[in-house]
Amino acid sequence: MSLPRTLFEKIWDQHTIVTNEGGQTLLYVDWLLCSEGSIHAFNILRAEGEKVRCPERVFGVADHYPASGGPTMADVLDDERRNMIATLDRNTQQYGIQYFGLGDPRRGIQHLVGPEQGLAQPGVIILCGDSHTSTQAAVGAIAFGIGGELAHVLATQTIWQRKPANMRVTVEGKRPPGVAAKDVILAIIAKVGAGGAVQHAIEYAGSTIRDMSVEERMTVCNMSIEAGARAGIIAPDEKTAAYVKGRPYAPRGEQAWNQAVAYWNSLPSDADAKFEREVTLDATTLAPMVTWGNSPENALPITAVVPEPDSEPDAQRRAGMVRSLEYMDLKPGTRMTDIAIDQVFIGSCTNSRIEDLRAAAAIANGRKAIVPALVTPGSTGVKQQAEAEGLDRIFRAAGFAWGEAGCSMCVSMNGDTVPAGKRCASTSNRNFRGRQGKDSRTHLVSPIMAVAAALSGRLADVRDFLRN
Amino acid sequence: MDAFTTLTAVAVPIDVDNVDNDQHIPARLMRKPRIGKAYGGYWFHDQRFNEDGSEMPDFVLNKPGFRDARIVVAAKNYACGSSRLGAVYVHYDYGIRAVIAVSFGDVFYNNCFKNGILPVRLDEATVARLRRELHAQPGTTIALDLPQQTVTGPDGTVYPFDIDAFGKRCLLQGLSDIKLTLEQEPRIKAFEDKHRQQMSWLFQTAPQEGAK
Ligand code: SF4
């Protein structure tokens, strides 16, 4: 009898080529996506005289630098940025890699493109040269971000990895109204800590996760790395299969489909699989969340007040809090709902799928934003779908700007920036110092909370808008 | 890639936890070409320099004694967040060849090995003690010995550390891991053939446009 294994371990074993003397495993990579940041990796390939081993398993996507103001190269802010996209154009062409560039209907944030194209499917290993690849693990895949290994994967279609420890986060119960998937993951990170899951792969389990749509699961998995985890994963089920079915790279033909589904059905963790760490969370007690500091772990319910550093016993953590509060210009004891904001951003690979936009539009419908607000769909596909449903008109009527697909203000590389000293309620995943622009101040929230903030000009409890 | 064996050099203490890679190199600087050691000037850019390019005197790297550091002694979860390779480049181009911390962001940790930087994990009390010693005597040195896997603090105390054997070999020999892996090509090919049979649906010919 074989040892009981976790979902993660089963996929890991399925992709293991060899394990070396130091305990590192060489894994086969099914799919690789890369965006403009791959410039360094291609330079390494050139310097080392290597080629791309399997160009048909690699996809290039322009997502960080395209303008949200328009779809063409002429819309891109300046030559330096145009050059980043043009370099990706050239590199993908030179190495024969498939490319979703400007104007391609398949273009979007790479972590939306993988699932949309059906590349992300249960039991595969899919990697991107970008941290939030874990988004794609929501379908029951191993998916994580790589940096310096990108050149290695391009050249070998493999990656050396040390097997992470297993951690299970079990979330049980029905979410109260107004509590989004984003709030669930923020609550998990607040509980586990920003470095709390380092060297672990998290499996999310429990009724709350099972009840989520595949898109909601993506929001949860997206932020796994904000708890320090190497990866996050969710067991595939019928919802996953239904999600994958019919997509361009989904198994085609009845025989292939049945074979694939048989494999997918074998993947969920065995009942007695070993998890080194277990964390549980009761979803029924959650409220909409908001962050106050410069780490995603600095998340509290919207009903809370800005915390008092003096109440933190650990000196190192206390110093971190003081530093954050200074940067964020917040006073301990201030009610979250009294914090005035200057602008709102709805987008990023955390929260820019069609369901996110539908939920946000439902709150915005018939109301008016009183601060500048920007909505950028995560992919061209989402944009077209949203426009077909009239969501763009709802947003525009409510005073929100409606942009092209891309990373936009999540990381402000395309020029959509939060000015110095300004405060933004954002559906992205990182509230680091300067993340949305030099000296910008970010409060992470769910899409519906972002709308509530836009309508109120301050951080606000979306539940007040649900009751009306 | 430079090989790493031993190093005795000035170390700089970075006291805060969770120093993320957006601090190591702000996103807007990532479109800059890496010419010469240009990225060294971007390390901690927004905390090191004022708007006009002048130095902020309070930042640790701008203090006498620490400028010439080649070793960093950090805290918990150092270089977390973004997977940007630039976070390693800023260290390397500044001259940093080793980082000692309680824990690291995973991606940064792995990237160090590929770029000639030795990442060392030590326990919290030791790391805090090293930082205190550096603050007490700016410009003081720390010694690293990769073959022996030891750190020698300013006061001569020797601390052993663990390191991954594969990463150690790459660093000691200054080897490109791509070349090492490609030595395994027959194995990779054999695996691929088996994988192609077992998960054949992943190897179907290019899809129809516009499915679903
Ligand atoms: S949306 Fe933000 S987090 Fe996601 S890939 Fe783009 S920059 Fe990275």
Side-chain angles (χ1 to χ4, degrees):
Chain A
M1 233 191 68
S2 57
L3 285 170
R5 292 179 301 168
T6 64
L7 162 63
F8 189 88
E9 288 168 334
K10 289 179 191 183
I11 304 171
W12 180 279
D13 291 350
Q14 178 68 29
H15 290 79
T16 294
I17 300 168
V18 64
T19 299
N20 72 10
E21 77 270 29
Q24 292 229 52
T25 300
L26 188 64
L27 296 169
Y28 189 79
V29 177
D30 292 312
W31 304 115
L32 175 68
L33 286 94
C34 55
S35 66
E36 298 95 318
S38 61
I39 182 168
H40 298 299
F42 285 105
N43 287 339
I44 294 170
L45 282 193
R46 249 174 235 120
E48 299 204 10
E50 303 294 351
K51 55 186 198 315
V52 174
R53 190 179 190 282
C54 308
E56 72 284 2
R57 311 200 77 76
V58 183
F59 297 79
V61 189
D63 59 7
H64 282 60
Y65 291 96
S68 52
T72 69
M73 199 60 134
D75 296 304
V76 177
L77 195 67
D78 56 23
D79 283 344
E80 222 173 38
R81 289 173 168 89
R82 269 189 284 277
N83 181 51
M84 289 299 283
I85 299 175
T87 306
L88 182 63
D89 292 0
R90 271 200 311 278
N91 281 331
T92 50
Q93 197 176 20
Q94 183 188 335
Y95 289 92
I97 293 167
Q98 299 150 93
Y99 181 47
F100 305 155
L102 292 182
D104 191 305
R106 297 164 296 182
R107 191 188 69 76
I109 305 173
Q110 54 199 307
H111 313 310
L112 275 82
V113 168
E116 275 180 4
Q117 292 300 313
L119 296 167
Q121 45 175 279
V124 302
I125 295 189
I126 180 165
L127 306 182
C128 308
D130 184 283
S131 335
H132 291 88
T133 315
S134 58
T135 315
Q136 307 188 41
V139 298
I142 291 184
F144 53 83
I146 51 177
E149 293 112 327
L150 185 54
H152 184 279
V153 182
L154 285 166
T156 69
Q157 202 61 28
T158 66
I159 187 165
W160 288 102
Q161 286 284 299
R162 177 172 295 281
K163 191 153 125 189
N166 294 306
M167 172 168 175
R168 180 161 52 193
V169 175
T170 306
V171 193
E172 295 287 358
K174 190 168 153 48
R175 282 179 281 149
V179 174
K182 178 68 160 283
D183 302 309
V184 173
I185 186 62
L186 283 172
I188 291 171
I189 296 165
K191 184 161 182 171
V192 173
V198 166
Q199 295 174 55
H200 284 75
I202 299 178
E203 178 172 341
Y204 301 96
S207 61
T208 316
I209 304 292
R210 279 198 305 278
D211 286 347
M212 285 182 179
S213 69
V214 174
E215 293 199 351
E216 289 179 313
R217 295 174 187 178
M218 287 179 190
T219 298
V220 172
C221 284
N222 172 273
M223 292 189 73
S224 303
I225 42 164
E226 309 309 337
R230 184 84 266 253
I233 195 166
I234 293 172
D237 57 12
E238 302 79 51
K239 282 186 214 172
T240 319
Y243 178 87
V244 172
K245 191 158 192 166
R247 295 186 181 272
Y249 284 84
R252 268 170 302 127
E254 202 180 314
Q255 198 195 344
W257 178 260
N258 290 340
Q259 269 181 352
V261 170
Y263 169 60
W264 300 351
N265 288 340
S266 74
L267 290 174
S269 294
D270 297 327
D272 38 3
K274 185 166 159 281
F275 289 89
E276 280 82 1
R277 283 180 66 197
E278 296 267 10
V279 172
T280 57
L281 191 74
D282 177 359
T284 64
T285 61
L286 294 180
M289 303 286 283
V290 56
T291 65
W292 52 267
N294 297 125
S295 167
E297 72 178 15
N298 301 142
L300 285 171
I302 183 69
T303 48
V305 298
V306 175
E308 170 60 69
D310 289 343
S311 63
E312 169 58 54
D314 180 274
Q316 183 78 10
R317 292 179 65 91
R318 190 160 59 239
M321 286 173 78
V322 170
R323 228 170 139 257
S324 280
L325 291 179
E326 191 185 299
Y327 181 86
M328 295 295 292
D329 190 27
L330 292 174
K331 296 213 173 16
T334 308
R335 285 201 307 226
M336 295 292 182
T337 48
D338 285 341
I339 299 172
I341 53 149
D342 302 295
Q343 62 193 90
V344 167
F345 172 59
I346 299 177
S348 91
C349 55
T350 315
N351 279 132
S352 63
R353 282 166 283 273
I354 189 69
E355 292 177 10
D356 294 315
L357 302 189
R358 284 181 192 140
I363 305 291
N365 197 3
R367 297 183 166 116
K368 271 281 179 221
I370 58 171
V371 293
L374 170 65
V375 186
T376 56
S379 71
T380 309
V382 170
K383 179 166 188 273
Q384 288 167 348
Q385 177 69 28
E387 289 174 356
E389 295 178 21
L391 304 184
D392 59 321
R393 289 194 298 277
I394 295 177
F395 282 123
R396 285 205 174 99
F400 292 67
W402 175 251
E404 295 291 328
C407 297
S408 180
M409 208 180 279
C410 170
V411 69
S412 290
M413 285 188 182
N414 76 341
D416 295 338
T417 305
V418 178
K422 296 293 182 195
R423 195 181 292 286
C424 180
S426 175
T427 65
S428 52
N429 42 48
R430 286 178 169 159
N431 51 359
F432 299 159
R433 304 165 85 90
R435 173 78 178 181
Q436 295 191 293
K438 192 171 189 297
D439 295 322
S440 60
R441 298 181 176 128
T442 304
H443 294 272
L444 302 178
V445 288
S446 76
I448 52 176
M449 283 285 284
V451 174
L455 302 174
S456 313
R458 53 183 171 76
L459 296 176
D461 193 333
V462 69
R463 292 173 298 188
D464 295 339
F465 294 88
L466 298 178
R467 280 194 285 270
N468 292 343
Chain B
M1 186 180 95
D2 294 354
F4 188 107
T5 47
T6 61
L7 171 68
T8 301
V10 172
V12 59
I14 309 277
D15 296 320
V16 288
D17 291 341
N18 302 323
V19 182
D20 58 72
N21 291 333
D22 285 69
Q23 295 183 58
H24 285 300
I25 175 169
R28 64 177 194 282
L29 294 174
M30 284 168 57
R31 53 183 186 270
K32 300 285 182 197
R34 189 183 179 206
I35 297 168
K37 298 272 183 239
Y39 272 48
Y42 305 151
W43 190 27
F44 279 120
H45 186 277
D46 290 353
Q47 289 161 65
R48 223 169 111 200
F49 302 109
N50 290 305
E51 212 68 64
D52 63 2
S54 61
E55 288 184 357
M56 299 189 196
D58 286 345
F59 190 67
V60 67
L61 280 176
N62 293 332
K63 290 184 181 164
F66 293 130
R67 282 176 187 279
D68 303 325
R70 301 192 66 197
I71 300 170
V72 172
V73 181
K76 268 188 258 176
N77 202 24
Y78 184 72
C80 59
S82 164
S83 59
R84 59 192 64 167
L85 197 46
V88 180
Y89 291 166
V90 292
H91 284 80
Y92 188 89
D93 289 356
Y94 187 90
I96 299 299
R97 292 296 176 270
V99 183
I100 300 169
V102 183
S103 58
F104 292 87
D106 268 344
V107 177
F108 178 85
Y109 183 80
N110 288 329
N111 285 346
C112 282
F113 289 104
K114 298 171 206 300
N115 288 278
I117 296 176
L118 171 64
V120 174
R121 292 193 188 107
L122 290 176
D123 66 87
E124 196 170 352
T126 303
V127 175
R129 174 169 162 188
L130 288 173
R131 287 200 314 267
R132 269 199 308 279
E133 289 170 347
L134 297 175
H135 279 298
Q137 217 186 335
T140 193
T141 63
I142 283 180
L144 290 154
D145 186 324
L146 179 56
Q148 296 300 319
Q149 296 182 206
T150 59
V151 173
T152 306
D155 65 353
T157 311
V158 177
Y159 310 95
F161 63 84
D162 285 333
I163 194 155
D164 169 72
F166 182 64
K168 180 176 174 179
R169 181 145 66 98
C170 285
L171 275 179
L172 282 175
Q173 301 176 26
L175 282 178
S176 142
D177 59 343
I178 295 178
K179 297 257 176 333
L180 278 178
T181 302
L182 288 175
E183 288 172 10
Q184 312 256 11
E185 177 58 26
R187 269 201 167 113
I188 299 174
K189 182 76 182 61
F191 177 91
E192 204 166 44
D193 291 343
K194 184 195 76 166
H195 197 56
R196 192 183 283 271
Q197 291 199 334
Q198 290 183 347
M199 295 177 66
S200 57
W201 62 92
L202 297 179
F203 294 84
Q204 289 176 316
T205 48
Q208 299 291 311
E209 292 252 335
K212 188 150 187 173

